Amino acid sequence: MRVTWDGEEIEAREGQTVAAVLTARGVRSWRTTRVAGRPRGLFCGIGVCFDCLVKVNGVPDVRACQRVVADGDDIRPQAGAELPS
Amino acid sequence: MNRVVVIGAGPAGLAAARAAAALGVEVVLVDAGPKLGGQYFRQDALASEDRFSFPGGVEHVPDAAVWAVEPIHGGHRVHLRIGAADDPSRTGRVLETRALVLATGAFDRVLPFPGWDLPGVFTAGGAQAMAKGQGVAAGDRVLVAGTGPFLLPVASSLAAAGARVVEVAEANAAVTGWLSRPRGVFAGWPKLPELARHVSALARHRVPYRSRTAVVRAHGSEWVESVTVARLDREWTPVPGSERRVEVDAVAVGFGFTPQLELAVAARCRIEGGFVAVDAAQGTSAPGVFAAGEVTGIGGADLAASEGAVAGAAAAKRLGAVVDPPLGAMARVRSGRRFAAALEAAYPVRGGWTDWLRDDTIVCRCEEVDLRRLMSAVDERDLGGVRSLKLASGAGLGLCQGRVCGRNVAELAGLDGTAFARRRIASPLRLGELAEAEPEAEAVEVPDRALGQDFG
Amino acid sequence: MSPIESADVVVVGAGIIGAACAEALSRAGRRVLVVDRGAPAGATTASGEGNVLLSDKAPGPELALALAARRRWPALLESLRGELGDLADVEWEAKGGLVVATSPDSVGSLRIISDAQREAGVEVHSLGPEGARKLEPHLTGTVTAAAHYPEDAQLHPVLAATALLAAVRARGGAVVGGVEADGLVVRGGRVAGVRIGGAAVPCGAVVNACGPWAGHFSVAAGAPIEVMPRRGMILVTAPLPPLVRRKVYAADYVAAVSSGDVDLQVSTVVESTAAGTVLIGSSRQRVGFDDSLEVEVLRRLARNAIRLFPVLEGVPVMRAYGGFRPYTPDHLPVIGEDPRMRGLWHASGHEGAGIGLAPATGRLLADLMDGRRPEVDPVPFRVDRPALMAEVRT
């Protein structure tokens, strides 16, 4: 299947999480923190820490480690706190 | 309705569901993951088959976030959102039950150190989940650090996924010490052969395995580029002059585990010493609520499965099934707890970790609260409780609701951290999901007489 | 147990009201001991949004107290800053309040109440739908009218209470948590001390500032008053970009606040915090001290909030917390000395307005204790009013 990362089309496999797709592609951080603008990516990997937030199909605050990709997903980095678009 | 609801499909939940189903009781097994097995039996998410199968009578509900457990007359109401994680399109489902088994497991505890919020620093379990479940290594050069035998399978999984494990840093004594001559408390522990295999695999790959050693700092700007590793004294204070820099592009850190307590707290189970208190039948202090696995104490998969078998039988009995006490499983629980206690004694977290911190070290990752801000709230405002400490410092108020920082913050503040586990909303949901009318609860019939909680 | 073996006044309860009373008394030169069976600022105070409101009060004694408190807060914080420095930073923000009508029916009643408030000295600006949406661009399009209250303010209740307590300590007083006051020592018909965990602490006066537990303590003190818990729940969203600027609430809120119904009342209150979260309230229920979760209450809060701010539909709710407000049958605080027991003072019953009313409450109590002429008429808050001491009349 194909998804897009920040507008660019990339390959993904059935069952992969967003975090795995991004990590396999060498993307290591995909959001910045609200206060200091620090980079964050995967941390706990099991849905507990909410550090790996990402925007999927316009919806922010999605845990990349928990979200399994679907064909055509539009995945984008999240800058601090965002509203759904 | 007469059915057991089991939350969590790891070793404990699987065993509970099997045990209850084997006694002829209907079971609904709810889990956040897409496949059975939980963190321990982490299945390859890319493979099409499922390693686990069930006898009839078990309904597996995957991809289900339990966001609330609500006490109701005669039982509990379990509120689910089912579907793609964190997506507003998830659907609601409500289960009512008179016999609830909580097998919610645990997650890695990570102690903070300067730079631990850099991308590339992972929890040990997170690195393992990515390696085992997704076939992706956390980095090319990975250092594994923390304490306890769990570091070994993590290192193995990383190596199997293609990473070069540059070092395993154990803050306590190395497992190799007692593993070669397992006497006393560890004699007869069923885990020994597996650990021995991991140790020899490390040796084969020439991975240094060092005791009394910890990562005390991570360096980098956008990503971890190197770490400072130091020797520790008995209390975990770094030995001056022992620091050395190691180039890595990832670190996997785990200092034991923190139980996932919020559902138990919501169900009004008594918490003792940081875990759900249970009796010999895995019954909690809340009638009709049973707990099994790491929520009752960190003891590994075998103990969790034994506890699950007992809890499943006890839950079935609560619904009226005729049950002989599962004596074999109960005996395995007792011996498993002895090993668990021995492990806990051998791999504690020592107080010297607080010496790793600097004033500007982040302690709460969500709210970006550093040590200075936390300690000024503690020292100047004379806060005697977790609730006011959270509000005054900001620590624990973010999306993870103190799961990552709670124990560390409580330790730094000298408070009992159990109150961090009070999370009425156990998993975030969109306001629109909350506003949506839930489907009518699949209801319980309340029996005329109170049913037993144990096998007596 | 206590660093103080005797005190001029022992304040029982280290919430915002106890803290404000202790601050005012210590300012007047008294040696004050504050005790709490739990952690300071850890119960009702920790459950509040930090409201300092005029908008939700109809003209009458509570509004008079609120006006005095609204004047007092900035001055008090300024003076605490001189004493304590940054500790007095309590996130005070005069953000303003916006009361919103969303049906043609409520336009008239909103006007009537805001006119009366204006008469009583409150700054109110009546707005049409466009004016309201200019202030709060994310407001629903169904707004029919609004009233803007620029004086409404917010502060951080735990920071405020702990700053007040720090001032008490700085002036030689003491604050001790984790100890329970379980009765009075009475000599010659008046208070001579308070029993704390079996030990007697001599003092000249005791202040019952136990919030929703004030009824309990009043029984233990032998002078019962009618203060009951009224439960409330609040939803907290994930941190969001700036979205709601003021405290925004539906016009039916005032009716819910003043209702005496035992049953669940849910009205809509939406506001943001300094941390970026949006707080969604509010519910009122009289269910004793039962604090178990009721999903239906959360659901109704969520629905109402989306109705007022449709953009909230897609944002995550990460927390819900509950607390107990101290409720009196006539919705007025009780502030004053108990006529049945000289030396026993009560300061409770502020329901959801305790944070806002705290400094005027403390000052009123201190003025009465010292025999000064109070700024606010104390009569409506007196302890022996009929609603509060039903059993005394019989």
Side-chain angles (χ1 to χ4, degrees):
Chain A
M1 67 172 79
R2 300 184 79 75
V3 299
T4 60
W5 164 242
D6 212 4
E8 190 187 335
E9 204 163 271
I10 54 174
E11 281 293 328
R13 288 174 61 195
E14 185 98 19
Q16 269 188 310
T17 60
V18 170
V21 171
L22 296 181
T23 303
R25 196 181 159 75
V27 181
R28 300 163 142 188
S29 103
W30 46 79
R31 81 154 176 124
T32 50
T33 60
R34 207 170 75 242
V35 180
R38 299 276 293 146
R40 294 279 174 89
L42 192 71
F43 178 60
C44 85
I46 58 171
V48 167
C49 76
F50 292 81
D51 240 347
C52 63
L53 301 178
V54 68
K55 258 185 353 189
V56 180
N57 304 326
V59 178
D61 300 325
V62 173
R63 286 167 293 172
C65 72
Q66 295 297 289
R67 183 57 168 267
V68 176
V69 287
D71 195 24
D73 271 348
D74 173 19
I75 305 163
R76 289 177 189 274
Q78 181 170 338
E82 293 196 33
L83 283 177
S85 56
Chain B
M1 220 189 302
N2 280 353
R3 44 104 191 277
V4 172
V5 172
V6 179
I7 301 177
L14 284 172
R18 283 204 187 97
L23 290 161
V25 175
E26 256 184 64
V27 178
V28 182
L29 174 61
V30 176
D31 191 73
K35 285 185 173 182
L36 294 166
Q39 310 304 339
Y40 180 79
F41 295 121
R42 165 79 54 187
Q43 294 203 58
D44 181 352
L46 311 185
S48 53
E49 76 280 3
D50 199 310
R51 276 167 57 197
F52 300 97
S53 61
F54 275 117
V58 178
E59 184 200 354
H60 172 214
V61 184
D63 298 318
V66 177
W67 66 270
V69 166
E70 189 181 14
I72 53 169
H73 177 62
H76 290 83
R77 195 176 283 148
V78 179
H79 297 262
L80 311 178
R81 299 299 299 179
I82 303 166
D86 301 328
D87 200 78
S89 70
R90 294 181 294 186
T91 53
R93 184 169 172 189
V94 185
L95 300 165
E96 288 186 356
T97 181
R98 285 192 284 121
L100 177 63
V101 179
L102 299 175
T104 46
F107 52 88
D108 297 79
R109 179 178 184 188
V110 177
L111 300 174
F113 51 85
W116 75 305
D117 53 326
L118 274 173
V121 179
F122 302 100
T123 71
Q128 197 193 31
M130 282 288 278
K132 269 174 86 177
Q134 300 279 329
V136 179
D140 295 327
R141 289 176 54 85
V142 189
L143 193 146
V144 178
T147 191
F150 176 61
L151 300 180
L152 301 175
V154 171
S156 295
S157 303
L158 282 164
R164 176 156 171 240
V165 179
V166 296
E167 180 172 337
V168 177
E170 164 62 64
N172 282 302
V175 299
T176 40
W178 50 264
L179 197 56
S180 54
R181 270 168 295 127
R183 280 182 312 205
V185 284
F186 292 114
W189 191 32
K191 271 280 176 220
L192 294 175
E194 186 192 321
L195 282 178
R197 276 199 307 280
H198 289 308
V199 167
S200 52
L202 285 184
R204 222 170 31 249
H205 289 106
R206 296 177 195 282
V207 177
Y209 174 45
R210 298 201 169 88
S211 61
R212 297 222 175 283
T213 303
V215 168
V216 295
R217 187 160 180 188
H219 311 267
S221 53
E222 295 297 299
W223 182 265
V224 60
E225 289 157 17
S226 66
V227 290
T228 298
V229 176
R231 291 269 299 159
L232 303 179
D233 69 13
R234 282 197 62 83
E235 289 307 311
W236 289 17
T237 298
V239 174
S242 70
E243 296 87 355
R244 60 196 159 82
R245 224 25 198 258
V246 181
E247 273 187 33
V248 295
D249 63 356
V251 195
V253 189
F255 286 91
F257 298 90
T258 297
Q260 194 83 262
L261 289 179
E262 57 277 350
L263 299 183
V265 170
R268 298 202 192 110
C269 303
R270 196 174 71 245
I271 309 297
E272 262 176 29
F275 294 95
V276 182
V278 287
D279 60 22
Q282 300 300 129
T284 70
S285 64
V289 183
F290 304 84
E294 310 293 65
V295 282
T296 72
I298 303 305
D302 296 333
L303 174 58
S306 304
E307 289 189 359
V310 175
K317 182 168 186 291
R318 174 126 186 125
L319 296 184
V322 180
V323 179
D324 290 328
L327 297 175
M330 290 167 89
R332 285 193 298 280
V333 169
R334 286 193 299 275
S335 73
R337 286 202 182 133
R338 282 199 300 277
F339 295 121
L343 267 184
E344 197 194 335
Y347 294 95
V349 168
R350 304 264 181 210
W353 67 267
T354 58
D355 295 339
W356 311 348
L357 311 184
R358 303 186 321 187
D359 270 358
D360 62 352
T361 303
I362 295 286
V363 288
C364 165
R365 300 169 66 96
C366 296
E367 295 300 293
E368 299 168 77
V369 178
D370 64 17
L371 182 69
R372 184 186 296 118
R373 188 163 141 210
L374 174 71
M375 294 319 288
S376 80
V378 171
D379 295 336
E380 293 165 19
R381 295 195 183 270
D382 193 32
L383 302 158
V386 161
R387 192 169 184 185
S388 45
L389 175 62
K390 281 164 68 175
L391 291 163
S393 70
L397 284 181
L399 266 167
C400 95
Q401 289 200 66
R403 285 176 172 92
V404 176
C405 73
R407 286 174 76 184
N408 302 336
V409 164
E411 211 171 304
L412 286 164
L415 297 173
D416 174 10
T418 309
F420 273 104
R422 190 172 167 82
R423 304 177 184 104
R424 292 163 187 275
I425 293 185
S427 173
L429 70 169
R430 309 280 159 177
L431 203 61
E433 293 181 273
L434 178 53
E436 198 182 281
E438 276 179 325
E440 196 150 316
E442 298 157 44
V444 270
E445 287 152 23
V446 180
D448 298 336
R449 65 195 171 83
L451 286 165
Q453 176 94 342
D454 54 25
F455 301 111
Chain C
M1 183 277 308
S2 144
I4 291 190
E5 273 151 19
S6 70
D8 296 333
V9 184
V10 173
V11 176
V12 184
I16 190 78
I17 295 294
C21 290
E23 190 281 333
L25 291 165
S26 67
R27 182 178 291 270
R30 292 177 189 263
R31 256 170 101 242
V32 183
L33 167 64
V34 186
V35 296
D36 197 292
R37 63 176 179 177
T44 301
T45 297
S47 306
E49 302 114 303
N51 288 330
V52 183
L53 300 185
L54 302 177
S55 54
D56 66 338
K57 291 168 187 74
E62 200 194 5
L63 181 59
L65 193 63
L67 282 162
R70 176 62 182 81
R71 285 191 296 272
R72 179 65 189 147
W73 262 125
L76 175 58
L77 292 174
E78 195 50 46
S79 110
L80 290 181
R81 177 164 289 282
E83 275 180 83
L84 306 168
D86 288 347
L87 208 56
D89 180 5
V90 301
E91 297 178 6
W92 168 269
E93 193 191 353
K95 66 201 291 189
L98 191 71
V99 181
V100 172
T102 51
S103 72
D105 304 345
S106 45
V107 176
S109 52
L110 181 61
R111 285 284 180 274
I112 290 167
I113 190 165
S114 38
D115 287 348
Q117 286 168 318
R118 199 175 292 119
E119 196 80 356
V122 179
E123 189 182 345
V124 195
H125 305 287
S126 296
L127 302 172
E130 298 77 27
R133 283 169 60 86
K134 206 164 158 190
L135 292 182
E136 293 294 339
H138 290 283
L139 257 181
T140 170
T142 62
V143 170
T144 50
H148 178 215
Y149 298 78
E151 296 162 300
D152 277 1
Q154 188 179 30
L155 50 71
H156 189 308
V158 171
L159 296 183
T162 50
L164 293 167
L165 293 171
V168 171
R169 280 196 299 271
R171 296 168 193 160
V175 183
V176 183
V179 293
E180 186 155 6
D182 40 29
L184 301 178
V185 179
V186 180
R187 205 167 298 130
R190 63 163 299 136
V191 169
V194 59
R195 283 202 317 270
I196 299 175
V201 177
C203 62
V206 168
V207 180
N208 171 13
C210 298
W213 295 273
H216 287 190
F217 180 74
S218 70
V219 171
I225 54 170
E226 286 270 306
V227 180
M228 292 159 288
R230 198 178 187 193
R231 188 173 78 171
M233 291 293 299
I234 291 175
L235 295 172
V236 187
T237 71
L240 303 174
L243 183 77
V244 183
R245 294 174 194 161
R246 291 161 191 81
K247 181 186 179 79
V248 180
Y249 56 93
D252 60 359
Y253 176 71
V254 180
V257 171
S258 52
S259 151
D261 266 10
V262 172
D263 290 344
L264 173 65
Q265 311 263 317
V266 179
S267 49
T268 320
V269 187
V270 180
E271 67 191 300
S272 57
T273 68
T277 56
V278 168
L279 306 182
I280 296 168
S282 68
S283 68
R284 298 182 135 70
Q285 245 177 318
R286 277 176 42 206
V287 288
F289 285 105
D290 180 356
D291 71 342
S292 37
L293 176 78
E294 282 180 68
V295 167
E296 190 51 35
V297 175
L298 305 187
R299 172 160 300 121
R300 287 176 60 179
L301 291 173
R303 283 183 183 161
N304 288 357
I306 293 170
R307 230 170 268 147
L308 213 52
F309 285 98
V311 63
L312 289 174
E313 181 170 16
V315 312
V317 189
M318 62 171 184
R319 282 195 294 136
Y321 63 88
F324 299 102
R325 308 176 182 91
Y327 167 91
T328 59
D330 60 1
H331 298 282
L332 283 179
V334 47
I335 305 163
E337 190 174 22
D338 197 303
R340 298 161 296 182
M341 176 70 68
R342 299 285 314 284
L344 172 64
W345 295 70
H346 301 285
S348 178
H350 297 72
E351 203 162 339
I355 308 294
L357 299 176
T361 300
R363 190 175 244 194
L364 175 56
L365 185 113
D367 285 347
L368 291 171
M369 207 180 273
D370 284 347
R372 281 188 302 268
R373 187 187 158 81
E375 182 188 353
V376 178
D377 178 10
V379 172
F381 309 113
R382 71 189 193 279
V383 181
D384 60 350
R385 63 189 198 253
L388 220 62
M389 288 192 357
E391 83 291 351
V392 172
R393 288 177 301 166
T394 56

